[in-house]
Amino acid sequence: MTRHTHVAIIGSGPAGLTAAIYTARANLAPIVIEGEISSTSDQPGGQLMLTTEIENFPGFINGIEGPELMSNFRSQAERFGAEFHTAKVTRIDASNRPFAIWTSDQGDGDASYLADAIIVATGARSIMLGVDREIELIGHGVSTCATCDGFFFRGQEIAVVGGGDSAMEEATFLTKFASKVHIIHRRSELRASKIMQDRARANPKISFTWNSRVVELIGGDQLEGVVLEDTITGERSKLAVTGLFVAIGHEPNTSVFEGILDMDGARYIVTHDGTNTSVEGIFACGDVQDHIYRQAITAAGSGCMAALDTERWLESVHAG
């Protein structure tokens, strides 16, 4: 049976849950469609569910585990009346208001919800290497965020995989902590801009491993090294590192909104005047529209913005 709601929030990372807290406190009784437990890229709680200790989220002097932080967010939203639906959004009809939303547990029949407003907070996922135990070792030597985890590798020898601007930026940043940073690239030339290349090449702590790809992770509960394969000769070698930062790109979770919302060339949702999208009544927040900062705190902040924008928009529509 199709249900009506004032606000449907799609996604349950820091952005979505913050939006849920604010809209719930505004008596909008939001429904949070939080994703599927079986999905690694669209799971309830977002990427922080794969993160161990977080030390840079304000208010937690001694740090907090990612899953615990997301559990606290969720409980706080529930306290104010937010309702959660554990499923994935499969289709949206934004041609009329209220907007129609279908979910993975509903099938192709009637829509699951009719929503006066939608807040999109589906986030983005790091593109991973695809090697065994990669996800298992996130937070135990493997990372996708230098600014989040660099502090934990003081005085250690680590590696960054990638050849673009992000990889050069992460490697340069990590030299503040690590004793040595290896940049592993599958080609003999970098894709990064010249200024970023020059900056990395000039750093005495950075070395380059060319024509190589990571094919195996070494270690038990903690990363101890990687196995590299030469992309030309196929020869394999071991590199002893205690940290591996994957910097080969991010992909926003926007496939369900293609043809509905305006996106940039990298498929991030374009917002204007705060969190407004190209469709009136649909708002976007967090990493799904932010390819620059990608931090839990900035995602939470934009979730607050989206909630306030949504509340004001609904008031203006009803007033009109």
Side-chain angles (χ1 to χ4, degrees), residues 62-229:
N62 298 314
I64 186 170
E65 299 287 311
E68 182 184 359
L69 180 62
M70 289 299 91
S71 177
N72 289 348
F73 272 45
R74 193 182 196 276
S75 297
Q76 190 173 0
E78 285 181 313
R79 176 192 168 202
F80 293 116
E83 183 180 338
F84 287 80
H85 183 173
T86 306
K88 186 175 182 178
V89 171
T90 56
R91 183 158 65 98
I92 290 174
D93 183 351
S95 60
N96 295 292
R97 291 202 302 263
F99 306 112
I101 302 172
W102 285 261
T103 56
S104 55
D105 58 349
Q106 183 78 7
D108 295 326
D110 293 337
S112 301
Y113 300 102
L114 293 177
D116 297 329
I118 294 175
I119 296 176
V120 179
T122 47
R125 58 187 177 274
S126 299
I127 299 173
M128 303 302 289
L129 301 173
V131 298
D132 288 345
R133 302 187 63 225
E134 185 177 25
I135 301 300
E136 177 188 337
L137 286 171
I138 287 180
H140 300 277
V142 175
S143 175
T144 59
C145 179
T147 54
C148 306
D149 299 329
F151 177 83
F152 299 110
F153 295 90
R154 285 188 177 277
Q156 299 179 41
E157 193 164 331
I158 61 178
V160 173
V161 180
D165 280 354
S166 293
M168 299 306 106
E169 184 177 355
E170 297 239 317
T172 302
F173 175 82
L174 288 166
T175 60
K176 296 179 181 180
F177 310 101
S179 60
K180 186 172 184 179
V181 178
H182 301 267
I183 293 179
I184 301 168
H185 188 43
R186 59 183 176 176
R187 300 186 179 93
S188 59
E189 295 180 354
L190 298 170
R191 293 180 291 105
S193 59
K194 186 176 186 304
I195 188 171
M196 294 301 295
Q197 289 192 43
D198 291 345
R199 191 173 299 167
R201 292 177 191 275
N203 194 310
K205 284 189 175 183
I206 294 177
S207 67
F208 292 85
T209 303
W210 305 106
N211 299 316
S212 297
R213 63 189 184 102
V214 176
V215 294
E216 185 181 337
L217 304 179
I218 303 170
D221 296 334
Q222 197 72 26
L223 183 73
E224 297 174 5
V226 296
V227 175
L228 301 177
E229 181 180 84

Side-chain angles (χ1 to χ4, degrees), residues 25 246 315:
R25 291 188 76 249
V246 181
E315 288 176 353

